[in-house]
Amino acid sequence: MASLLRTLGSRCSAGTVVLRSIPAPVIATRAFNMHEYQSKKVMDSFNVRTQRWCLATSPEEAVNAGKKLNAKEYVVKSQVHAGGRGKGVFDNGFKGGVHLTTDVNEIGVLASKMLGHRLVTKQTTADGVMVSKLMIAESVDIVRETYFAILLDRSFGGPVMVASPRGGMDIEAVAEETPDQIFKVAVDVSKGPQEADLAKLADNLGFTGDRKGKAVEQMRNLYQLFIKTDALQVEINPLAEVKNGDVYCVDAKISLDDNAEFRQKEIFAERDTSEDDPREVAAGKVGLNYIGMDGSIGCMVNGAGLAMATCDIIKLSGGSPANFLDVGGGANEDQVRQAFKILTSDSQVKALLVNIFGGIMKCDVIAKGIVNAARDINLSIPLVVRLEGTNVELGKKILKESGLNIIPANNLQEAAEKAVGTLA
């Protein structure tokens, strides 16, 4: 969706979008990306029309799910965080992470070839992603596919509804190739979406008669979902018109803001971290922010801005950062210890660089944490430390008297050059 926003114009109206060629900055956002079945569960709670569905973790459960649904046709879908599932290939050679069948017993056969195997798609690594869950749903007879999404856009200062009559395909490609087929409306959060705007979007999507009213109802309910779950994105592709005249949200991608976890506990309790970087998961559990990269110098910094600057200086000094690890402004000794464990769990890390600016965080506290952590994990790779700010002299004294082979640095440039130098 970020690339879609950069493609769309800067003015908001339910009409033709003018393309903008100026690239927008990429801003990293941490979010809870739901599996499809989780999205459907949330949509069901907001009276959004979806197919009937069941979750299965074994072939037996899959067959029982089919019997429970008692549908004319079933869709069996791998539940992984990756697009292109339908065209994916499993590690056992079985093709397709999405299958249709009219035979309830074949559901079990399909499930046995999908569960416990790794699915490789255009959005996964070459190793693929392990499939441990399947969604078994009734298939609906789709007549027409459209696209509808709600997302937060900084340039508009709030939610934006994006729609296109060309659903069921890559929306970024639609925006590039036929921009006149993309429509959008900015929403005033104090008022919510206006009925006239929703009706206009339904017209733009080609809904007529009673189908138009049904489409408007789905958009309205999706907006309530977006607001009440603290979502960053609700993307329905396709928003489909089916043979009997109903309007279904057939496939959905929903992302929630991580910062809202404290008030969305019931939803976040179902978060599946099996596909996440285990280092990010471990960091999150102790209140740290970690993003893995592909370099060889592990970084521990307090503050996102300082972390990005540290990564840049390492690159300019001829090295490559292995991560972005922000311990924040109030880290304690235990968090520093955990940070060191996470950093050194990465086999590609050959040196560590700690860059701390002590404001709220005191340098002596960080120094004690560094010393204890280095001893606790029996650190065997070079460690460069740059401290500045509150109690900096006491912090440097603690490091110097620790008896450990800690390489001090007086500024960031020096720290980066020393870290890179240890790898020579």
Side-chain angles (χ1 to χ4, degrees):
M1 289 305 296
S3 59
L4 173 60
L5 284 174
R6 291 195 293 274
T7 302
L8 295 178
S10 58
R11 296 187 62 189
C12 223
S13 62
T16 301
V17 174
V18 179
L19 290 182
R20 183 176 63 193
S21 60
I22 300 174
V26 177
I27 302 173
T29 303
R30 296 179 64 83
F32 167 19
N33 296 312
M34 295 184 177
H35 283 298
E36 185 181 357
Y37 77 90
Q38 294 170 326
S39 295
K40 276 186 163 49
K41 183 176 181 179
V42 173
M43 288 193 294
D44 290 344
S45 68
F46 282 88
N47 296 317
V48 175
R49 184 182 290 277
T50 69
Q51 311 113 291
R52 293 181 301 126
W53 62 276
C54 292
L55 185 67
T57 58
S58 69
E60 293 75 23
E61 286 184 3
V63 172
N64 289 335
K67 292 178 179 178
K68 179 180 178 180
L69 293 172
N70 190 29
K72 292 181 178 180
E73 185 175 44
Y74 306 90
V75 57
V76 181
K77 305 180 92 173
S78 303
Q79 296 300 285
V80 296
H81 293 307
R85 290 173 294 175
K87 296 181 179 180
V89 179
F90 286 90
D91 56 8
N92 59 0
F94 186 59
K95 295 182 179 180
V98 178
H99 288 271
L100 291 170
T101 180
T102 57
D103 183 354
V104 70
N105 293 313
E106 188 184 3
I107 294 176
V109 177
L110 293 170
S112 66
K113 296 178 180 178
M114 299 164 75
L115 290 168
H117 295 283
R118 303 186 74 86
L119 177 64
V120 180
T121 79
K122 63 181 181 181
Q123 291 187 5
T124 69
T125 64
D127 293 332
V129 179
M130 179 63 69
V131 175
S132 59
K133 297 182 180 73
L134 298 176
M135 186 186 73
I136 316 299
E138 65 173 343
S139 179
V140 290
D141 193 356
I142 297 175
V143 174
R144 199 169 57 85
E145 296 182 333
T146 70
Y147 175 94
F148 179 77
I150 309 171
L151 54 146
L152 283 178
D153 185 354
R154 288 172 181 260
S155 65
F156 300 131
V160 175
M161 296 185 294
V162 181
S164 174
R166 297 185 63 187
M169 59 186 298
D170 184 355
I171 194 63
E172 281 85 357
V174 174
E176 290 284 359
E177 297 168 7
T178 54
D180 61 313
Q181 295 296 295
I182 297 287
F183 304 90
K184 58 181 182 157
V185 172
V187 180
D188 182 341
V189 292
S190 67
K191 299 177 181 179
Q194 302 301 295
E195 289 301 306
D197 289 333
L198 294 176
K200 181 62 175 177
L201 284 178
D203 287 336
N204 291 331
L205 293 180
F207 290 104
T208 59
D210 63 343
R211 293 171 176 82
K212 177 179 176 178
K214 292 177 180 179
V216 167
E217 180 184 9
Q218 295 307 301
M219 294 178 195
R220 189 187 304 116
N221 292 346
L222 286 166
Y223 181 80
Q224 290 301 311
L225 182 160
F226 179 87
I227 292 297
K228 292 183 179 180
T229 62
D230 296 294
L232 296 171
Q233 168 186 314
V234 174
E235 182 182 34
I236 309 300
N237 193 14
L239 175 65
E241 179 181 327
V242 302
K243 195 171 184 179
N244 67 1
D246 284 330
V247 177
Y248 276 80
C249 295
V250 176
D251 199 354
K253 292 181 181 179
I254 299 178
S255 298
L256 305 188
D257 188 342
D258 267 2
N259 294 311
E261 181 173 2
F262 74 98
R263 61 185 185 190
Q264 302 292 347
K265 293 181 180 179
E266 184 177 347
I267 298 176
F268 274 80
E270 297 190 20
R271 188 171 196 166
D272 179 7
T273 60
S274 63
E275 295 179 41
D276 295 341
D277 186 327
R279 297 165 298 181
E280 289 189 24
V281 176
K285 289 180 178 179
V286 293
L288 306 175
N289 294 313
Y290 179 96
I291 298 174
M293 300 180 185
D294 58 3
S296 57
I297 298 177
C299 306
M300 188 184 85
V301 187
N302 65 318
L306 190 59
M308 289 188 285
T310 302
C311 291
D312 288 343
I313 295 297
I314 289 173
K315 290 290 289 185
L316 289 172
S317 300
S320 183
N323 67 273
F324 172 113
L325 194 153
D326 173 16
V327 297
N332 54 40
E333 287 188 35
D334 183 61
Q335 286 177 305
V336 173
R337 184 182 298 107
Q338 295 300 323
F340 266 62
K341 288 181 178 180
I342 293 168
L343 291 173
T344 55
S345 68
D346 185 349
S347 60
Q348 71 182 6
V349 171
K350 305 303 179 185
L352 296 181
L353 193 163
V354 176
N355 183 25
I356 298 295
F357 184 84
I360 298 174
M361 177 182 291
K362 297 179 180 179
C363 291
D364 57 317
V365 173
I366 283 293
K368 290 177 183 177
I370 291 171
V371 170
N372 291 335
R375 286 173 175 162
D376 186 42
I377 67 174
N378 193 24
L379 186 67
S380 59
I381 59 177
L383 170 60
V384 179
V385 179
R386 179 255 184 164
L387 299 177
E388 192 59 73
T390 306
N391 293 348
V392 63
E393 295 304 324
L394 179 56
K396 290 181 177 180
K397 183 174 183 289
I398 292 171
L399 296 178
K400 185 176 181 179
E401 296 177 353
S402 68
L404 299 173
N405 185 25
I406 298 175
I407 305 170
N410 294 316
N411 55 62
L412 178 52
Q413 182 67 55
E414 180 185 340
E417 291 174 353
K418 286 185 175 182
V420 173
T422 65
L423 305 179

